[in-house]
Amino acid sequence: MQTPWIPFIPPSASTLSGKVDALYFYLVGVTVFFTLLIWGVLSYFVIKYRRRNTYEIPRPVAGSHKLETIWSVIPFIIAMTMFAWGAQVFFEQWRPPANAVEIYVVGKQWMWKIQHTTGQREINELHVPVGRKIKLIMTTEDVIHDFFIPAFRIKADVVPGRYTTLWFEATKAGRYHLFCAEYCGMNHSGMIGSVVALEPTEFDDWLSGNSSQQSPAVAGQQIYSTLGCVSCHGAAGEGGRGPALEGIFGKQVSLNNGQSIIADEAYIRESIVNPQAKLVNGFGPIMPTFQGQVSEEQLLQILAFIKSLQSEVPQAAGRRASPAAVPTSPAQVSAAGSPANR
Ligand code: CUA
């Protein structure tokens, strides 16, 4: 629920928020405990060992190994509990689960543009279902922004030319604040919105109620043919001049410098805007850059299309569609690098 005032602690509405709060209160607790302890002992000693007589000389102190060991080891153990606990929460937060539903987010001075895989678009509003894992794939058209949902305890910079991800699972239906948390120009303070967490059935209704919009994968396919990508990266690579794209997403790709790389969102984006950066083994530097010809939203749509290629084209079907020894899998793509297959 949104309140007109700023609450001391935002509502707790995701699977992560309780864990972040527990760690936060542990840190506050340890800090308060030692502040009071030091303050208390200090006050006690100041009074107990005050100078009672003008010419009093204190007894010399020779030091104590026992005391020094204790006050080194105990703080070390406390610091390590913070490290281990913090690392555990960190790893959970920064490793999105594989089965999460993806939603695309593009930041822009000064709004958040959101697109669901089913095609629904939203501006400064994000509808999500309760109890399902959601992964946000985020970028920006201009400057650095920062996507922040206090109620879910998640926050990440959104950086030009890169994809950052966040994931969450909402636990409570409601309307929550969405902020830009990185100063991004004149109307930064107005770059706000709402996250609407709905019960799964209500969410499905909401999704189907807006279903006239084109899905990002379909939009991506249209851009793909408009830009002529298909002439080199044909449906099953029949162009042969570029690597086939079926099933490439998430797979390992061998590069012509002998290294290999996982074809993730960042790699595919880079291959579109800066194709010479990482050439697939066996393919020449013939692809022109598409920098400036496709917007960040279109890049995300092409990405959605390439991702969709893996489920829609099973390997056998892909092979049948390709007439000759055209690479249809990353393994074949690397095999194509050998002179015999060229
Ligand atoms: Cu966008 Cu601040």
Side-chain angles (χ1 to χ4, degrees):
M1 201 182 66
Q2 255 171 13
T3 47
W5 61 87
I6 298 172
F8 175 64
I9 281 276
S12 170
S14 78
T15 51
L16 186 76
S17 54
K19 294 171 193 172
V20 172
D21 288 355
L23 177 61
Y24 172 76
F25 285 116
Y26 171 68
L27 296 177
V28 171
V30 169
T31 311
V32 168
F33 173 79
F34 279 101
T35 304
L36 292 179
L37 181 73
I38 291 168
W39 185 82
V41 171
L42 187 73
S43 310
Y44 173 74
F45 285 168
V46 161
I47 293 164
K48 185 170 181 208
Y49 297 110
R50 69 188 183 279
R51 181 181 278 194
R52 289 156 212 263
N53 133 10
T54 324
Y55 302 105
E56 198 173 15
I57 292 171
R59 197 154 40 87
V61 178
S64 160
H65 286 302
K66 198 168 131 195
L67 205 56
E68 285 184 26
T69 308
I70 290 172
W71 74 42
S72 301
V73 168
I74 291 177
F76 174 75
I77 292 170
I78 294 172
M80 282 298 122
T81 61
M82 293 172 180
F83 168 72
W85 191 349
Q88 193 200 341
V89 173
F90 178 86
F91 278 122
E92 182 174 340
Q93 181 172 7
W94 294 105
R95 276 196 256 179
N99 58 352
V101 176
E102 292 179 352
I103 297 178
Y104 298 110
V105 176
V106 177
K108 177 192 167 155
Q109 286 171 318
W110 288 274
M111 64 175 84
W112 293 109
K113 297 192 282 185
I114 286 152
Q115 187 163 26
H116 297 257
T117 45
T118 43
Q120 279 78 357
R121 289 167 175 282
E122 306 186 74
I123 287 184
N124 293 339
E125 225 173 46
L126 170 61
H127 283 75
V128 293
V130 167
R132 290 186 202 155
K133 295 176 175 63
I134 305 290
K135 175 181 170 188
L136 304 175
I137 299 172
M138 313 189 293
T139 190
T140 160
E141 281 180 22
D142 36 49
V143 300
I144 300 178
H145 303 276
D146 188 295
F147 194 88
F148 181 29
I149 308 175
F152 295 169
R153 310 290 188 271
I154 56 166
K155 182 171 178 286
D157 271 3
V158 175
V159 184
R162 277 172 65 171
Y163 291 123
T164 38
T165 55
L166 276 177
W167 85 271
F168 59 85
E169 182 182 336
T171 51
K172 240 190 289 176
R175 180 175 275 267
Y176 307 104
H177 284 294
L178 163 61
F179 293 119
C180 175
E182 175 78 45
Y183 180 69
C184 56
M186 190 172 71
N187 292 334
H188 156 70
S189 63
M191 195 168 161
I192 54 175
S194 305
V195 177
V196 184
L198 299 169
E199 293 301 339
T201 48
E202 284 178 60
F203 178 76
D204 292 337
D205 285 349
W206 179 84
L207 264 192
S208 54
N210 292 280
S211 61
S212 56
Q213 285 150 318
Q214 201 177 37
S215 80
V218 171
Q221 184 170 23
Q222 285 178 3
I223 300 163
Y224 188 81
S225 32
T226 310
L227 292 175
C229 312
V230 71
S231 62
C232 294
H233 305 276
E238 56 261 18
R241 282 181 291 171
L245 301 176
E246 280 83 11
I248 199 150
F249 187 79
K251 299 279 165 51
Q252 199 155 38
V253 177
S254 309
L255 304 179
N256 65 354
N257 62 4
Q259 294 175 330
S260 63
I261 191 171
I262 299 287
D264 58 2
E265 284 99 353
Y267 167 73
I268 289 172
R269 184 188 185 285
E270 184 187 59
S271 300
I272 299 168
V273 297
N274 184 12
Q276 318 313 341
K278 295 187 183 72
L279 289 170
V280 172
N281 198 7
F283 293 93
I286 55 168
M287 176 168 162
T289 174
F290 286 85
Q291 180 106 48
Q293 295 184 51
V294 275
S295 69
E296 289 299 335
E297 274 174 285
Q298 289 175 319
L299 281 167
L300 283 169
Q301 288 165 343
I302 297 171
L303 193 56
F305 169 61
I306 291 172
K307 282 183 189 176
S308 75
L309 288 173
Q310 35 198 27
S311 44
E312 281 172 16
V313 185
Q315 260 201 330
R319 251 185 229 126
R320 222 173 295 128
S322 54
V326 193
T328 55
S329 72
Q332 284 168 282
V333 167
S334 51
S338 58
N341 284 352
R342 260 195 174 150

PDB file of all heavy atoms in Angstrom, residues 194-217:
ATOM      1  N   SER A 194       5.026   2.918 -10.280  1.00  0.00           N
ATOM      2  CA  SER A 194       4.457   1.955  -9.343  1.00  0.00           C
ATOM      3  C   SER A 194       4.697   0.542  -9.825  1.00  0.00           C
ATOM      4  O   SER A 194       4.685   0.274 -11.025  1.00  0.00           O
ATOM      5  CB  SER A 194       2.946   2.129  -9.231  1.00  0.00           C
ATOM      6  OG  SER A 194       2.628   3.435  -8.892  1.00  0.00           O
ATOM      7  N   VAL A 195       4.877  -0.333  -8.863  1.00  0.00           N
ATOM      8  CA  VAL A 195       4.881  -1.760  -9.149  1.00  0.00           C
ATOM      9  C   VAL A 195       3.564  -2.287  -8.603  1.00  0.00           C
ATOM     10  O   VAL A 195       3.230  -2.047  -7.448  1.00  0.00           O
ATOM     11  CB  VAL A 195       6.053  -2.453  -8.444  1.00  0.00           C
ATOM     12  CG1 VAL A 195       6.003  -3.952  -8.689  1.00  0.00           C
ATOM     13  CG2 VAL A 195       7.359  -1.872  -8.931  1.00  0.00           C
ATOM     14  N   VAL A 196       2.811  -2.951  -9.470  1.00  0.00           N
ATOM     15  CA  VAL A 196       1.525  -3.483  -9.043  1.00  0.00           C
ATOM     16  C   VAL A 196       1.645  -5.001  -8.968  1.00  0.00           C
ATOM     17  O   VAL A 196       1.773  -5.664 -10.001  1.00  0.00           O
ATOM     18  CB  VAL A 196       0.400  -3.082 -10.022  1.00  0.00           C
ATOM     19  CG1 VAL A 196      -0.948  -3.552  -9.503  1.00  0.00           C
ATOM     20  CG2 VAL A 196       0.391  -1.577 -10.229  1.00  0.00           C
ATOM     21  N   ALA A 197       1.645  -5.516  -7.759  1.00  0.00           N
ATOM     22  CA  ALA A 197       1.720  -6.970  -7.591  1.00  0.00           C
ATOM     23  C   ALA A 197       0.293  -7.501  -7.500  1.00  0.00           C
ATOM     24  O   ALA A 197      -0.483  -7.066  -6.651  1.00  0.00           O
ATOM     25  CB  ALA A 197       2.508  -7.314  -6.334  1.00  0.00           C
ATOM     26  N   LEU A 198      -0.044  -8.407  -8.415  1.00  0.00           N
ATOM     27  CA  LEU A 198      -1.405  -8.955  -8.478  1.00  0.00           C
ATOM     28  C   LEU A 198      -1.369 -10.440  -8.146  1.00  0.00           C
ATOM     29  O   LEU A 198      -0.360 -11.110  -8.381  1.00  0.00           O
ATOM     30  CB  LEU A 198      -1.976  -8.783  -9.894  1.00  0.00           C
ATOM     31  CG  LEU A 198      -2.109  -7.363 -10.431  1.00  0.00           C
ATOM     32  CD1 LEU A 198      -2.435  -7.406 -11.918  1.00  0.00           C
ATOM     33  CD2 LEU A 198      -3.184  -6.606  -9.676  1.00  0.00           C
ATOM     34  N   GLU A 199      -2.490 -10.941  -7.638  1.00  0.00           N
ATOM     35  CA  GLU A 199      -2.610 -12.391  -7.461  1.00  0.00           C
ATOM     36  C   GLU A 199      -2.486 -13.035  -8.838  1.00  0.00           C
ATOM     37  O   GLU A 199      -2.923 -12.446  -9.832  1.00  0.00           O
ATOM     38  CB  GLU A 199      -3.969 -12.737  -6.830  1.00  0.00           C
ATOM     39  CG  GLU A 199      -4.148 -12.248  -5.398  1.00  0.00           C
ATOM     40  CD  GLU A 199      -3.119 -12.800  -4.415  1.00  0.00           C
ATOM     41  OE1 GLU A 199      -2.510 -13.856  -4.709  1.00  0.00           O
ATOM     42  OE2 GLU A 199      -2.894 -12.171  -3.368  1.00  0.00           O
ATOM     43  N   PRO A 200      -1.911 -14.256  -8.927  1.00  0.00           N
ATOM     44  CA  PRO A 200      -1.638 -14.846 -10.241  1.00  0.00           C
ATOM     45  C   PRO A 200      -2.831 -14.855 -11.191  1.00  0.00           C
ATOM     46  O   PRO A 200      -2.682 -14.531 -12.374  1.00  0.00           O
ATOM     47  CB  PRO A 200      -1.213 -16.266  -9.889  1.00  0.00           C
ATOM     48  CG  PRO A 200      -0.650 -16.156  -8.520  1.00  0.00           C
ATOM     49  CD  PRO A 200      -1.396 -15.065  -7.825  1.00  0.00           C
ATOM     50  N   THR A 201      -4.043 -15.158 -10.689  1.00  0.00           N
ATOM     51  CA  THR A 201      -5.199 -15.193 -11.592  1.00  0.00           C
ATOM     52  C   THR A 201      -5.529 -13.790 -12.113  1.00  0.00           C
ATOM     53  O   THR A 201      -5.816 -13.602 -13.292  1.00  0.00           O
ATOM     54  CB  THR A 201      -6.436 -15.772 -10.877  1.00  0.00           C
ATOM     55  OG1 THR A 201      -6.561 -15.112  -9.617  1.00  0.00           O
ATOM     56  CG2 THR A 201      -6.313 -17.268 -10.672  1.00  0.00           C
ATOM     57  N   GLU A 202      -5.455 -12.809 -11.204  1.00  0.00           N
ATOM     58  CA  GLU A 202      -5.703 -11.424 -11.628  1.00  0.00           C
ATOM     59  C   GLU A 202      -4.663 -10.980 -12.640  1.00  0.00           C
ATOM     60  O   GLU A 202      -4.957 -10.268 -13.601  1.00  0.00           O
ATOM     61  CB  GLU A 202      -5.629 -10.472 -10.427  1.00  0.00           C
ATOM     62  CG  GLU A 202      -6.825 -10.477  -9.511  1.00  0.00           C
ATOM     63  CD  GLU A 202      -6.579  -9.531  -8.342  1.00  0.00           C
ATOM     64  OE1 GLU A 202      -6.381  -8.330  -8.589  1.00  0.00           O
ATOM     65  OE2 GLU A 202      -6.537 -10.023  -7.192  1.00  0.00           O
ATOM     66  N   PHE A 203      -3.421 -11.415 -12.401  1.00  0.00           N
ATOM     67  CA  PHE A 203      -2.351 -11.040 -13.318  1.00  0.00           C
ATOM     68  C   PHE A 203      -2.598 -11.641 -14.700  1.00  0.00           C
ATOM     69  O   PHE A 203      -2.442 -10.963 -15.717  1.00  0.00           O
ATOM     70  CB  PHE A 203      -0.990 -11.499 -12.776  1.00  0.00           C
ATOM     71  CG  PHE A 203       0.148 -11.192 -13.701  1.00  0.00           C
ATOM     72  CD1 PHE A 203       0.639  -9.895 -13.796  1.00  0.00           C
ATOM     73  CD2 PHE A 203       0.719 -12.178 -14.494  1.00  0.00           C
ATOM     74  CE1 PHE A 203       1.687  -9.589 -14.659  1.00  0.00           C
ATOM     75  CE2 PHE A 203       1.761 -11.884 -15.358  1.00  0.00           C
ATOM     76  CZ  PHE A 203       2.241 -10.586 -15.437  1.00  0.00           C
ATOM     77  N   ASP A 204      -3.012 -12.914 -14.720  1.00  0.00           N
ATOM     78  CA  ASP A 204      -3.292 -13.550 -16.012  1.00  0.00           C
ATOM     79  C   ASP A 204      -4.426 -12.825 -16.735  1.00  0.00           C
ATOM     80  O   ASP A 204      -4.384 -12.645 -17.953  1.00  0.00           O
ATOM     81  CB  ASP A 204      -3.618 -15.035 -15.816  1.00  0.00           C
ATOM     82  CG  ASP A 204      -2.384 -15.806 -15.341  1.00  0.00           C
ATOM     83  OD1 ASP A 204      -1.255 -15.317 -15.584  1.00  0.00           O
ATOM     84  OD2 ASP A 204      -2.547 -16.869 -14.725  1.00  0.00           O
ATOM     85  N   ASP A 205      -5.434 -12.390 -15.967  1.00  0.00           N
ATOM     86  CA  ASP A 205      -6.513 -11.590 -16.562  1.00  0.00           C
ATOM     87  C   ASP A 205      -5.960 -10.299 -17.140  1.00  0.00           C
ATOM     88  O   ASP A 205      -6.306  -9.894 -18.247  1.00  0.00           O
ATOM     89  CB  ASP A 205      -7.572 -11.231 -15.501  1.00  0.00           C
ATOM     90  CG  ASP A 205      -8.437 -12.420 -15.157  1.00  0.00           C
ATOM     91  OD1 ASP A 205      -8.336 -13.435 -15.884  1.00  0.00           O
ATOM     92  OD2 ASP A 205      -9.190 -12.343 -14.175  1.00  0.00           O
ATOM     93  N   TRP A 206      -5.105  -9.660 -16.369  1.00  0.00           N
ATOM     94  CA  TRP A 206      -4.519  -8.391 -16.816  1.00  0.00           C
ATOM     95  C   TRP A 206      -3.729  -8.610 -18.105  1.00  0.00           C
ATOM     96  O   TRP A 206      -3.829  -7.846 -19.052  1.00  0.00           O
ATOM     97  CB  TRP A 206      -3.616  -7.822 -15.718  1.00  0.00           C
ATOM     98  CG  TRP A 206      -2.956  -6.540 -16.122  1.00  0.00           C
ATOM     99  CD1 TRP A 206      -3.475  -5.284 -16.041  1.00  0.00           C
ATOM    100  CD2 TRP A 206      -1.651  -6.405 -16.697  1.00  0.00           C
ATOM    101  NE1 TRP A 206      -2.578  -4.367 -16.539  1.00  0.00           N
ATOM    102  CE2 TRP A 206      -1.454  -5.023 -16.951  1.00  0.00           C
ATOM    103  CE3 TRP A 206      -0.636  -7.302 -17.025  1.00  0.00           C
ATOM    104  CZ2 TRP A 206      -0.271  -4.527 -17.506  1.00  0.00           C
ATOM    105  CZ3 TRP A 206       0.535  -6.823 -17.579  1.00  0.00           C
ATOM    106  CH2 TRP A 206       0.709  -5.448 -17.819  1.00  0.00           C
ATOM    107  N   LEU A 207      -2.956  -9.706 -18.139  1.00  0.00           N
ATOM    108  CA  LEU A 207      -2.160 -10.004 -19.332  1.00  0.00           C
ATOM    109  C   LEU A 207      -3.052 -10.244 -20.538  1.00  0.00           C
ATOM    110  O   LEU A 207      -2.818  -9.702 -21.616  1.00  0.00           O
ATOM    111  CB  LEU A 207      -1.328 -11.269 -19.107  1.00  0.00           C
ATOM    112  CG  LEU A 207       0.114 -11.142 -18.640  1.00  0.00           C
ATOM    113  CD1 LEU A 207       0.801 -12.489 -18.776  1.00  0.00           C
ATOM    114  CD2 LEU A 207       0.893 -10.095 -19.423  1.00  0.00           C
ATOM    115  N   SER A 208      -4.103 -11.049 -20.368  1.00  0.00           N
ATOM    116  CA  SER A 208      -4.940 -11.379 -21.525  1.00  0.00           C
ATOM    117  C   SER A 208      -5.801 -10.182 -21.913  1.00  0.00           C
ATOM    118  O   SER A 208      -6.199 -10.065 -23.067  1.00  0.00           O
ATOM    119  CB  SER A 208      -5.803 -12.611 -21.225  1.00  0.00           C
ATOM    120  OG  SER A 208      -6.537 -12.398 -20.049  1.00  0.00           O
ATOM    121  N   GLY A 209      -6.056  -9.287 -20.961  1.00  0.00           N
ATOM    122  CA  GLY A 209      -6.848  -8.091 -21.262  1.00  0.00           C
ATOM    123  C   GLY A 209      -6.109  -7.104 -22.147  1.00  0.00           C
ATOM    124  O   GLY A 209      -6.683  -6.205 -22.710  1.00  0.00           O
ATOM    125  N   ASN A 210      -4.807  -7.284 -22.272  1.00  0.00           N
ATOM    126  CA  ASN A 210      -4.019  -6.347 -23.081  1.00  0.00           C
ATOM    127  C   ASN A 210      -3.312  -7.072 -24.225  1.00  0.00           C
ATOM    128  O   ASN A 210      -2.268  -6.652 -24.674  1.00  0.00           O
ATOM    129  CB  ASN A 210      -2.934  -5.705 -22.213  1.00  0.00           C
ATOM    130  CG  ASN A 210      -3.515  -4.793 -21.168  1.00  0.00           C
ATOM    131  OD1 ASN A 210      -3.865  -3.666 -21.439  1.00  0.00           O
ATOM    132  ND2 ASN A 210      -3.631  -5.287 -19.948  1.00  0.00           N
ATOM    133  N   SER A 211      -3.923  -8.185 -24.652  1.00  0.00           N
ATOM    134  CA  SER A 211      -3.137  -9.080 -25.493  1.00  0.00           C
ATOM    135  C   SER A 211      -3.081  -8.674 -26.956  1.00  0.00           C
ATOM    136  O   SER A 211      -2.537  -9.387 -27.776  1.00  0.00           O
ATOM    137  CB  SER A 211      -3.682 -10.503 -25.378  1.00  0.00           C
ATOM    138  OG  SER A 211      -5.012 -10.498 -25.824  1.00  0.00           O
ATOM    139  N   SER A 212      -3.669  -7.515 -27.296  1.00  0.00           N
ATOM    140  CA  SER A 212      -3.646  -7.138 -28.708  1.00  0.00           C
ATOM    141  C   SER A 212      -2.247  -6.720 -29.162  1.00  0.00           C
ATOM    142  O   SER A 212      -1.972  -6.621 -30.348  1.00  0.00           O
ATOM    143  CB  SER A 212      -4.624  -5.984 -28.945  1.00  0.00           C
ATOM    144  OG  SER A 212      -4.297  -4.914 -28.080  1.00  0.00           O
ATOM    145  N   GLN A 213      -1.359  -6.483 -28.185  1.00  0.00           N
ATOM    146  CA  GLN A 213      -0.039  -5.998 -28.573  1.00  0.00           C
ATOM    147  C   GLN A 213       0.853  -7.130 -29.067  1.00  0.00           C
ATOM    148  O   GLN A 213       0.705  -8.275 -28.684  1.00  0.00           O
ATOM    149  CB  GLN A 213       0.601  -5.269 -27.390  1.00  0.00           C
ATOM    150  CG  GLN A 213      -0.010  -3.905 -27.187  1.00  0.00           C
ATOM    151  CD  GLN A 213       0.030  -3.487 -25.726  1.00  0.00           C
ATOM    152  OE1 GLN A 213      -0.229  -4.265 -24.824  1.00  0.00           O
ATOM    153  NE2 GLN A 213       0.349  -2.236 -25.500  1.00  0.00           N
ATOM    154  N   GLN A 214       1.785  -6.726 -29.903  1.00  0.00           N
ATOM    155  CA  GLN A 214       2.693  -7.677 -30.515  1.00  0.00           C
ATOM    156  C   GLN A 214       3.770  -8.089 -29.508  1.00  0.00           C
ATOM    157  O   GLN A 214       4.302  -7.242 -28.786  1.00  0.00           O
ATOM    158  CB  GLN A 214       3.361  -6.929 -31.665  1.00  0.00           C
ATOM    159  CG  GLN A 214       3.934  -7.782 -32.715  1.00  0.00           C
ATOM    160  CD  GLN A 214       4.502  -6.895 -33.812  1.00  0.00           C
ATOM    161  OE1 GLN A 214       5.063  -5.837 -33.557  1.00  0.00           O
ATOM    162  NE2 GLN A 214       4.370  -7.337 -35.037  1.00  0.00           N
ATOM    163  N   SER A 215       4.099  -9.356 -29.486  1.00  0.00           N
ATOM    164  CA  SER A 215       5.119  -9.801 -28.539  1.00  0.00           C
ATOM    165  C   SER A 215       6.489  -9.337 -29.017  1.00  0.00           C
ATOM    166  O   SER A 215       6.716  -9.145 -30.208  1.00  0.00           O
ATOM    167  CB  SER A 215       5.091 -11.321 -28.420  1.00  0.00           C
ATOM    168  OG  SER A 215       5.762 -11.906 -29.502  1.00  0.00           O
ATOM    169  N   PRO A 216       7.424  -9.146 -28.083  1.00  0.00           N
ATOM    170  CA  PRO A 216       8.760  -8.694 -28.481  1.00  0.00           C
ATOM    171  C   PRO A 216       9.419  -9.652 -29.470  1.00  0.00           C
ATOM    172  O   PRO A 216      10.132  -9.208 -30.381  1.00  0.00           O
ATOM    173  CB  PRO A 216       9.540  -8.655 -27.169  1.00  0.00           C
ATOM    174  CG  PRO A 216       8.572  -8.827 -26.074  1.00  0.00           C
ATOM    175  CD  PRO A 216       7.282  -9.279 -26.643  1.00  0.00           C
ATOM    176  N   ALA A 217       9.164 -10.958 -29.332  1.00  0.00           N
ATOM    177  CA  ALA A 217       9.805 -11.912 -30.235  1.00  0.00           C
ATOM    178  C   ALA A 217       9.301 -11.718 -31.667  1.00  0.00           C
ATOM    179  O   ALA A 217      10.072 -11.757 -32.628  1.00  0.00           O
ATOM    180  CB  ALA A 217       9.539 -13.340 -29.756  1.00  0.00           C
TER     181      ALA A 217
END
